[in-house]
Amino acid sequence: MSWIKDIVDPQARQWEEFYRNRFQHDKIVRSTHGVNCTGSCSWQVHVKDGIVVWETQQLDYPLLESSLPPYEPRGCQRGISFSWYLYSPVRIKYPLIRGVLLDAYREEKQKANGDPMLAWANLQANKEKRKSYQKARGKGGFRRTSWDEVNEIMSIANIYTAKKHGPDRVIGFSPIPAMSMLSYASGQRFLQLFGGVNLSFYDWYCDLPPSFPEIWGEQTDVAESADWYNAKMVVDIGANLNMTRTPDAHFFAESRHNGTKTVVCAPDFSMVSKFADQWVPLHAGSDGAFWMAITHVLLKEFYVDKQVPYFIDYLKKYSDTPFLVKIEKDGSAHKAGKLLRANELEEFKDIENGDWKFIQIDDKSGSFVVPKGSVGHRWDKQETGKWNTKLENSIDNKEYDPKLTIIDKKDDVLLVSLDEFGLDNKALRGVPVKYVTTTSGEKVAVTTTFDLLLAQYGVGRGLEGAYPKDYSDKNAAYTPAWQEIFTGVDAKTIINIAREWGNTGEITEGKCMVIVGAGINQWYHQNLMYRAASMALIFVGAIGKNGGGMNHYVGQEKLAPVDSWGTIATGKDWGGATRLQQGPLWHYMHTDQYRYDGLTSKYNAVPDNEMTKNHMADDIFKSVRMGWMPHYPQFKTNTLDLSKEAIKSGAKDDKAITQYVLESLKNKKLEYSIADPDAEENFPRVWYIWRGNAIGGSMKGQEYALRHYLGTDDSIIAQDQTRTKEVKWHEKAPTGKMDLIIDLNFRMDSSALYSDIVLPSASWYEKADINSTDMHSFIHPLSEAVPPCWESKTDWEIFSNIAKHTSEVAKTHLPGVHKDIYTSALAHDSEDEIAQTDMKDWYKGECEAIPGKTMHKISVVERDYTKIYEKFITLGETARTAGVGAHGNKVDIKEQYDEMLESYHYPTETIDGKKYPSLKKDVSAINAILHLSSLTNGKLSVQAYENAEKKTGLVLADIAAGQKDVHYNYANLQESPKRYNMSPVWSGLMEEGRAYSAFTYNVEKMVPWRTLTGRQHTYLDHDMYFGFGEHLPTYKPSPKPEVFGDLTETMKTNTAKVLSCLTPHGKWHIHSTYMDNPRMLSLSRGKEPCWISEADAKEMNIHDNDWVEVINDNGIYATRAVVSSRIPKGVCIVYHTIERTLGAPISQERKGKRTGGNNSITRVRLKPNLLAGGYGQFTYHMNYWGPVAVNRDAHVIIKKMTEVII
Amino acid sequence: MDVRSQMSMVFHLDKCLGCHTCTVACKNIWTDRKGAEYMWWNNVETKPGTGYPTKWEDQEIYKGGWEKSGSGIELRGAGKRKGLLNIFHNPNLPVIDDYYEPFTYKYLDLIESPLQDVQPVARPVSLITGKPIDIKMGPNWDDDLSGTPDFARKDPNLKNLSPAEQEAMFQLEKMALYYLPRICNHCLNPACVASCPSGAIYKRGEDGVVLIDQTKCRAWRMCVTACPYKKTYYNWSTGKSEKCLLCFPRIEAGIAPACMHSCVGRIRYLGVMLYDADMIEKAASSDDKDLINSHLNIYLDPHDPKVIAAAKANGVADSTIAAAQASPIYKFVKEWKIALPLHAEFRTLPNLFYVPPLLPVMASVSEQEKSSTPQLNPIAKNWDDKWLYDTSLDSIFGTIDDLRMPLKYMANMFSAGNEDLIADKLKKLMAIRIYRRHKTVGDISAEKSATALRNVNLTEAQAEAIYNLTSLAKFEERFVIPAAHREQAIEMIESTADVKGSTGFGFLAKPARGL
């Protein structure tokens, strides 16, 4: 073996120091990445010679239960490539401003003798100059400038806008606070102290699953990934765990070796499919049909053919299925109506909040029961402590047994008309009813929700009507054979999976899990798909169980210490009112995408009635005046002027001012901005973007934004569609609405490229911040491994400086105390949940206009623009008096606030002789959040549960007993990962290392869900839901391209093959971040390509790596083709998000235009019924409720490029 | 018996996510510099696919590894003998097109571009020439079945599969993919060492790590040809070849190599194996059908008193013997026999073993009768394909016979063509799932569970142990790193009393360029 050289001699091996030297480093700092990946991974950032050289994962997570695999290591290929950005050529090192704007401003300033305010006013008044710098947006010509100069321009623009148009024309967009809570809070705190507007993001990104508020009254609450391991059967739909939950996917892989069955539904052979026992390639977007059929089999075999005690017991306790629902006459047949209200029965007619309490039947006595725990009990004032789901009659506190079905005690069987939208059929099916006499003397038929559901799912029990013959009945919803039409999956597969699902649920008491992601949530009918899957979980008792649940992972929405953070982020500590805008409808209106949309009933299968004939824009206008949805700007009139007008007309106090505003609205003298969004007075004017790619990655209908917001080039060929009726229609839509766009960034992304001012911000290894996720139960710090590079500053410092300059400018240009009129929508987790029993429109005189009841709320807020900075850097006293809270829970923090004033360890600021806790430094603000949250301060955890006891009448404080001494500060988080406390703000129980699983608190402690009945809702009885046919779980088909309208103009000149364009989350980027770094570019194909099937490629004569244009009416982008056998025919996949900045060629199709990103082919389309408000869980809260900006139904044509000019 | 210790690895492919975090961890620390751009000491390949450099497994092209020659073996391509005859011309070297031309983008144009009529973009440029580049290849070009017609369908492992069998691998009902992460195998019979005319490549005596001495390398590049795994790379800037170090500076500090540390799929295991160096030549020369067996026989039982005595006699430290006894590699490879080497037929006796992956069960596709389909809602999208996909099963996980991906294909990679050997590993994985299902749910009977284990010769205790190390293992169980005893190495050069105070002082000088 002469050739093998085993060398031991160290002398001969001294050269080995070559590599040893490279590995030596000076320190390791704990940080993470703020990138909305949901990872929240703890990293070791290695620093050598003062330079960040590389990162590897931390390995010191505490272990959870001994039966669970450890969390370590967490981190992925993207996170580990981050350090490139710090010193990269794409780094923003200095403040930048577009030369055209700077020149014009300087010129005006010179003309105005150095007066910046006059200069800005004149520049805005000069239409030509304004247009010329708008036209230059996105076209290069940046100049390095100074912090002084940009601070001057920004602060002048702020005050100018507040004075001229109103503060609610200054807008901020920053997404996903959980990824860097303090950075998010910086801009929001400034804007809310200013009276500006923050746009929502979770719904705008289409990450919000409206089915969660629909069913559970919850924004989103899911299991941490360790709990996947507890599941015994998992169906993964549209969540490509390997790619998108990379640090967590091992739990899924590992669970299989513990005997867990896995099924993956995805149209392509996605990466997670390799872990499946069964891969089910459903047609893209047909998952709803799959789940409806699964539930059909479950109901038949586990509820009718046999009865499973665990399932029945679960339904009785935790679902709305035993509640009575009215069956109403409808022509010759009947239809499902509203839930029977307690006050409709003589015996309960006088109880408090009787409109908001509901009825069940006691199986033993047969008498009516008003169960505890309904929303009415939540807001009862006379008799409290009955908001719980114990099986007790709220009238006499006696136990009862809910009657699930009345089939054995029925008075009659009525034929109820049920819509099936896939085949567009109406079926009449027999439903057992009982007759009751209501207070109005009417004889009303009622049934249980359970009985109604069986009819809806087509599970006959010998009842008359059009029930399916058997599983093979193709014509009847929702049989396994019926779903074949939509999914392409054999009925045998459905029956097989449903039986395994039911058996597993029965044996394990609910360890059946759905893991779901953006692949499903971004379809137009996502709420229905999610509801369909959720029903299959509820019917096997899998919600609120470890190893069970509807686990939706789309967006890093879980900000653990939300109670104290919310107060600091929104400036509520200074008593202000918050202008938090529902993003999707705002962009839909202000980018003028509504003009290109027309009637939603063209592509949304709906029943034929008056409600479904409206234009979405008109529905939005209605939702705003009804108080369902917020909209800013509020009025055509500047809200600061409006109060002056009121005072001038004689209003002496705030109440009178409010009255004046109400009267002006009633007599229509005061116009809503939403009624005329294209009028100049109603434009949004100044836009701050930070921590997000608002113009790039997240701008659905990007080309519309370029046209209507920015006033620069676009490649739209879509035309105006159906006109609005109530919203004023302008013959020509305005372009270039925005005066000034500011982007804070560490890299030149698409948003920075199109902004007027780009501010260099510190990256995630250069600042202090905190980060949490729903994937695990720890809070992680971001830390300063090196100080902010070049001239960059932390977001906290940047907005603090903007506040300072703005306050300075106000001393001259907007001094004194101003009264700002503030309108807001009816709010979730408040008494507003019981505001509207019906949809009467005061604006049309159908009812009286009562703020907070039949319409939005109106109030008066005082603003002193000279004091914004002082407020920004201190924690205001309102926090002390009002406490902090979230999700309907409150804690008193007087003791903790005073401690911050008295203890040497907390810095303070003295303003006008009064001492306040200081928030001046980022670390001080973080420590304030941690000190004041029930998640990180054990005393407050205990207090929060004690407060919950009062409302519920339950024993809960013992949950927190063991956490009382837990008290974290920022330095503690830097030492090692810390698991946060249990708090009623969240719904999972985590004692003794138990994995967090949503709603275990509700199930085990009998705490109601925040819904109408306090139970999980299978049935949604809002009028909007009846109107749009979504009151019962149902299936609506994906719209075909001809009706969706993405290709109307394109197909006039083209004959190419139409493909469904899917944009799931990709492997080499987190949204747009990381994709531009050479590491990810090298490991991918140097660009995010367009994946097509081998068959389609052949048909279109496209070869692997050819350049192609992806085209529709909304716009265009160009990329390389990837031909792959794992892509199904008829579909193309472009993993979002494509930046416009990397090698995008000039378009051949839209000649001379620069091709865009994947958002260039999308357009916002909204679902009207998601506007509903003032009604239980259908009540607004930012990022909780409202229409979401879907993008998955897009269709395109693909053309090979013959000439590529970059 | 010549007992030595060797750092060895197991990659559990059933758990691999294909995320490439390992790749980037390695790249960031070791090859993020001029001349090393195209080096991917760790890479992850999609199978089926052609890997990096493309078709590296095809030794008809690259002439890597050993071939049998009479009763012994010789290097297939560039040996010292063959190499010296051909020292200035090595025809079997992979060229830049087999790798790719490394590239970046001209990012500064975004910030510095003057005002234009259209939006500026950053253009791709070559990292070698600095000129604009049309990107046509990359180190991971066929990731996730990218470019199936040109890559996956040309995978060298498809040999022996009929055209119909090959075609089936790309059809809906039978297609699948899995990932193959690769680093240097730190072979017992390394072709690179044997091929180096300069004697620059050696195995470290204490741990078997194979290194290229950066002061001795003279850029003959015979190692590039000789390594059948194509895991040595020529640095065009320094003029030296480089390769995976198994992160020896980290191992010496008692921490796992960067690729293993960063493996979020938790698929990697590292530990010591004791082996008998006397058996190498015979094992490497054995017949094809005996290759794997004789390879695995080289590794010794670290609990065997005879082995321990021989190891001690050879100067193997007690701490190393203890580490060998706790080695997860020994368990996977020798005790449980569920891991196999990659391409044993290359005869380098690699020290990296793979647990093969379970994959979804096959489905069947029939034609949906569209004529009997009811009329759709006029709004509804109508999929004009006609297939009806059925993946229903008789048992909850299906069986090995139902799995996607022909055994023949996997056998070409992991068992020198022996399908039974692959099936045996997969059956064991399945038996453990059945056993754990029985334990945790109970819808599989005790009898069925016992039969499943019995059929693959596993006891319940073994099944539990495999399950624990597969799913629940903590970091320190996955990586059992023996003490490096660096103090002993230093002692051979200077007084250890002086070392503490002088460590790290000195000037760093670049080694001279090789050519």
Side-chain angles (χ1 to χ4, degrees), chain A residues 103-347:
Chain A
D103 290 343
Y105 174 72
R106 283 179 178 168
E107 194 184 307
E108 291 295 341
K109 195 173 161 187
Q110 204 177 14
K111 276 197 242 165
N113 294 323
D115 180 347
M117 182 58 81
L118 191 57
W120 188 255
N122 287 342
L123 176 56
Q124 293 312 316
N126 187 328
K127 277 193 179 155
E128 211 166 298
K129 274 193 177 164
R130 186 172 183 270
K131 203 171 171 181
S132 77
Y133 79 74
Q134 288 185 330
K135 200 83 191 149
R137 283 173 174 161
K139 294 178 186 161
F142 276 121
R143 278 207 224 134
R144 179 178 171 179
T145 175
S146 67
W147 276 108
D148 287 341
E149 188 161 34
V150 286
N151 276 329
E152 174 184 303
I153 295 172
M154 292 186 293
S155 54
I156 287 290
N158 290 341
I159 295 296
Y160 169 83
T161 305
K163 211 170 157 178
K164 164 109 179 167
H165 306 292
D168 54 0
R169 275 76 169 171
V170 179
I171 315 296
F173 179 80
S174 184
I176 323 295
M179 70 195 192
S180 51
M181 302 176 197
L182 199 70
S183 288
Y184 177 91
S186 62
Q188 186 169 47
R189 187 167 172 83
F190 164 69
L191 283 161
Q192 293 305 321
L193 290 171
F194 182 87
V197 180
N198 286 94
L199 300 175
S200 67
F201 37 86
Y202 192 46
D203 42 11
W204 174 234
Y205 286 3
C206 208
D207 292 354
L208 168 71
S211 64
F212 270 64
E214 285 174 340
I215 299 169
W216 298 294
E218 185 63 80
Q219 177 199 39
T220 294
D221 207 348
V222 296
E224 66 179 304
S225 56
D227 197 46
W228 302 349
Y229 194 79
N230 287 320
K232 295 320 299 185
M233 179 159 177
V234 184
V235 179
D236 174 311
I237 50 172
N240 197 354
L241 301 179
N242 309 29
M243 293 239 270
T244 60
R245 308 296 145 213
T246 312
D248 306 288
H250 70 89
F251 289 115
F252 188 71
E254 284 157 349
S255 74
R256 294 154 59 247
H257 294 269
N258 193 25
T260 300
K261 164 91 188 232
T262 56
V263 178
V264 170
C265 300
D268 60 319
F269 193 90
S270 65
M271 291 74 231
V272 69
S273 306
K274 98 180 247 293
F275 289 128
D277 289 307
Q278 283 163 276
W279 169 48
V280 187
L282 301 169
H283 281 146
S286 67
D287 305 66
F290 172 87
W291 283 108
M292 289 302 287
I294 293 275
T295 306
H296 175 94
V297 176
L298 285 176
L299 288 172
K300 168 98 176 55
E301 299 191 12
F302 292 85
Y303 282 90
V304 175
D305 294 352
K306 71 170 180 182
Q307 278 81 41
V308 177
Y310 170 72
F311 292 169
I312 288 173
D313 184 57
Y314 182 93
L315 278 197
K316 285 178 175 180
K317 282 181 179 159
Y318 306 119
S319 79
D320 66 347
T321 54
F323 283 93
L324 296 181
V325 55
K326 293 188 278 188
I327 300 299
E328 295 164 355
K329 193 109 181 86
D330 181 28
S332 59
H334 289 81
K335 62 178 184 183
K338 292 207 162 201
L339 290 172
L340 183 67
R341 264 53 185 182
N343 63 4
E344 288 181 274
L345 298 180
E346 188 62 32
E347 50 184 314

Side-chain angles (χ1 to χ4, degrees), chain B residues 343-360:
Chain B
H343 290 303
E345 70 277 15
F346 296 165
R347 297 174 181 274
T348 62
L349 308 180
N351 280 304
L352 165 51
F353 303 89
Y354 293 91
V355 179
L358 292 171
L359 290 162

Side-chain angles (χ1 to χ4, degrees), chain A residues 5-6 75 1076 1086 1120 1206, chain B residues 4 105 107 123 134 203 264:
Chain A
K5 295 175 57 162
D6 274 10
D1076 53 357
R1120 304 272 199 164
I1206 295 179
Chain B
R4 302 186 189 183
Y105 276 78
Y107 301 98
R123 291 171 168 73
D134 183 23
K203 268 179 95 66
V264 276

Side-chain angles (χ1 to χ4, degrees), chain A residues 676-695:
Chain A
D676 189 4
D678 287 344
E680 249 181 60
E681 300 91 323
N682 295 324
F683 292 173
R685 294 287 177 168
V686 178
W687 195 14
Y688 289 91
I689 300 165
W690 73 108
R691 301 164 67 259
N693 199 346
I695 304 173

Side-chain angles (χ1 to χ4, degrees), chain A residues 73-94:
Chain A
R74 304 190 84 260
C76 71
Q77 71 274 32
R78 294 147 298 210
I80 203 167
S81 72
F82 181 73
S83 48
W84 177 79
Y85 284 106
L86 271 75
Y87 312 108
S88 76
V90 83
R91 177 81 199 236
I92 310 290
K93 298 174 180 169
Y94 316 104

Side-chain angles (χ1 to χ4, degrees), chain A residues 363-382:
Chain A
D363 204 14
K364 287 195 197 85
S365 64
S367 54
F368 293 118
V369 169
V370 183
K372 294 179 173 180
S374 292
V375 68
H377 295 106
R378 190 178 185 193
W379 304 112
D380 272 353
K381 291 207 172 63
Q382 293 156 18

Side-chain angles (χ1 to χ4, degrees), chain A residues 905-921:
Chain A
H905 296 295
Y906 293 95
T908 56
E909 305 289 333
T910 304
I911 289 165
D912 296 336
K914 200 168 159 45
K915 216 159 88 165
Y916 299 93
S918 174
L919 304 178
K920 198 169 185 176
K921 292 225 164 92

Side-chain angles (χ1 to χ4, degrees), chain B residues 421-435:
Chain B
L421 208 49
I422 285 282
D424 174 64
K425 316 301 167 204
L426 295 174
K427 275 182 190 155
K428 280 179 178 159
L429 297 186
M430 196 59 104
I432 290 154
R433 295 188 68 196
I434 289 167
Y435 164 73

